[in-house]
DNA sequence: TTTGTATTGAAAATGAATATCAAAAGCATA
DNA sequence: TATGCTTTTGATATTCATTTTCAATACAAA
């Protein structure tokens, strides 16, 4: 699974004429070892702990590449930081965000997706992507 | 309609013990005269053209107040700027955003809203608010 | 190797939003 | 109307995430 993703990114890089670098390998490894909606800064710190030489800008640049390759998805919740999550071909989900404890629950709802497509086509739009976030309090935080 | 909104904000201000100031009056007037998803900077420039004295910070502060009073709603699309739109009691809508020309189409879909409530309750969440944006190309931009 | 180009990282720059704080304005009271 | 207290304002500085710059370095093709 992780190996497949690495291969996928390598083909993407090859097609784009990108060079293979130590930094990108390291960042990819560490990104793939994380779970769930990690912020750039969080990932940067994680990377730096084992690879002090790697710079801020490189992490930013590389995560953009991952997103472009389809390996990662950029997320914007409302704390002013860009986050990334793993993305797999054809998979999509939305988020239920607890504003109390920052827990994020992922969900999929094909009925909603279908309604979205209908709304878009009714207005002559060709959907590229969408986002849907439901903010509220989880059961723990309501106690 | 505009008058009602002004009254509503004035009662909100009164209840909160806020003073009534020339600046807030002006900003409210101009905000109410605009349409659709204006960015803070756009509004600031509009305001400055007739009222050069008013400062940046005051516009930011005042828009926050409008949102708090329920008069305005804060919007975050993905250009890194906060936008505000008029909000009316109990009204809610979502957005279809053209990434070609920045046109925004508003829509409401009660079926989707209901499904959202179901999803939330299935996970024990109490919804506070939500956002849903569909990004794509409008018919003009696809030509 | 050599050579041309892509990549990197430190540092500076950007841009939106917020904080600071002295001066000005609002308002209750005398 | 004048006084005094408190809020508000606006210039400016600051913060913070992200991007840009650019010289040094690394990659890969020949
Ligand atoms: Mn997710
Ligand atoms: Mn709207
Ligand atoms: Zn919670
Ligand atoms: Zn368009």
């Amino acid at each position: 699974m992780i190996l497949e993703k690495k291969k996928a990114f390598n083909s993407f890089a090859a097609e784009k004429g990108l060079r293979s670098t130590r930094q990108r390998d390291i960042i990819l490894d560490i990104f793939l070892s994380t779970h769930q909606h990690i912020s750039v800064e969080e990932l940067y710190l994680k990377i730096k702990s084992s690879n002090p030489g790697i710079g801020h800008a490189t992490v930013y640049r590389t995560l953009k590449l991952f997103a472009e390759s389809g390996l990662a998805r950029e997320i914007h919740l409302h704390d002013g930081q860009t986050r990334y999550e793993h993305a797999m071909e054809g998979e999509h989900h939305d988020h239920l965000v607890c504003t109390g404890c920052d827990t994020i629950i992922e969900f999929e709802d094909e009925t909603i997706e279908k309604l979205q497509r209908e709304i878009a086509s009714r207005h002559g739009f060709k959907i590229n992507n969408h986002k849907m976030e439901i903010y509220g309090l989880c059961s723990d935080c309501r106690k």
Side-chain angles (χ1 to χ4, degrees), chain A residues 75-106:
Chain A
I75 316 259
H76 299 267
L77 305 183
H78 289 164
D79 60 351
Q81 281 183 265
T82 301
R83 293 170 180 281
Y84 287 87
E85 65 180 347
H86 301 181
M88 333 182 207
E89 188 65 38
E91 185 270 352
H92 171 81
H93 63 257
D94 292 296
H95 297 114
L96 204 47
V97 183
C98 176
T99 52
C101 62
D102 294 327
T103 291
I104 298 176
I105 292 175
E106 304 184 331

Side-chain angles (χ1 to χ4, degrees), chain A residues 46-114:
Chain A
K46 208 169 165 59
I47 288 166
K48 259 202 24 183
S49 71
S50 47
N51 297 78
I54 292 184
H56 232 133
T58 303
V59 177
Y60 274 97
R61 287 190 280 237
T62 305
L63 284 172
K64 283 241 154 95
L65 278 181
F66 293 171
E68 201 186 327
S69 82
L71 196 100
R73 189 154 68 116
E74 222 178 287
I75 316 259
H76 299 267
L77 305 183
H78 289 164
D79 60 351
Q81 281 183 265
T82 301
R83 293 170 180 281
Y84 287 87
E85 65 180 347
H86 301 181
M88 333 182 207
E89 188 65 38
E91 185 270 352
H92 171 81
H93 63 257
D94 292 296
H95 297 114
L96 204 47
V97 183
C98 176
T99 52
C101 62
D102 294 327
T103 291
I104 298 176
I105 292 175
E106 304 184 331
F107 68 90
E108 293 172 71
D109 189 300
E110 183 46 42
T111 310
I112 290 180
E113 308 276 320
K114 195 176 125 212

Side-chain angles (χ1 to χ4, degrees), chain A residues 2-18 24 27-29 31-32 60-74 84-91:
Chain A
I2 284 185
L3 251 165
E4 283 172 42
K5 292 197 171 190
K6 287 197 195 185
K7 276 188 196 166
F9 180 69
N10 288 336
S11 345
F12 166 84
E15 260 179 62
K16 262 209 123 191
L18 301 179
R24 292 208 267 245
I27 297 172
L28 181 50
D29 270 335
F31 174 66
L32 291 177
Y60 274 97
R61 287 190 280 237
T62 305
L63 284 172
K64 283 241 154 95
L65 278 181
F66 293 171
E68 201 186 327
S69 82
L71 196 100
R73 189 154 68 116
E74 222 178 287
Y84 287 87
E85 65 180 347
H86 301 181
M88 333 182 207
E89 188 65 38
E91 185 270 352

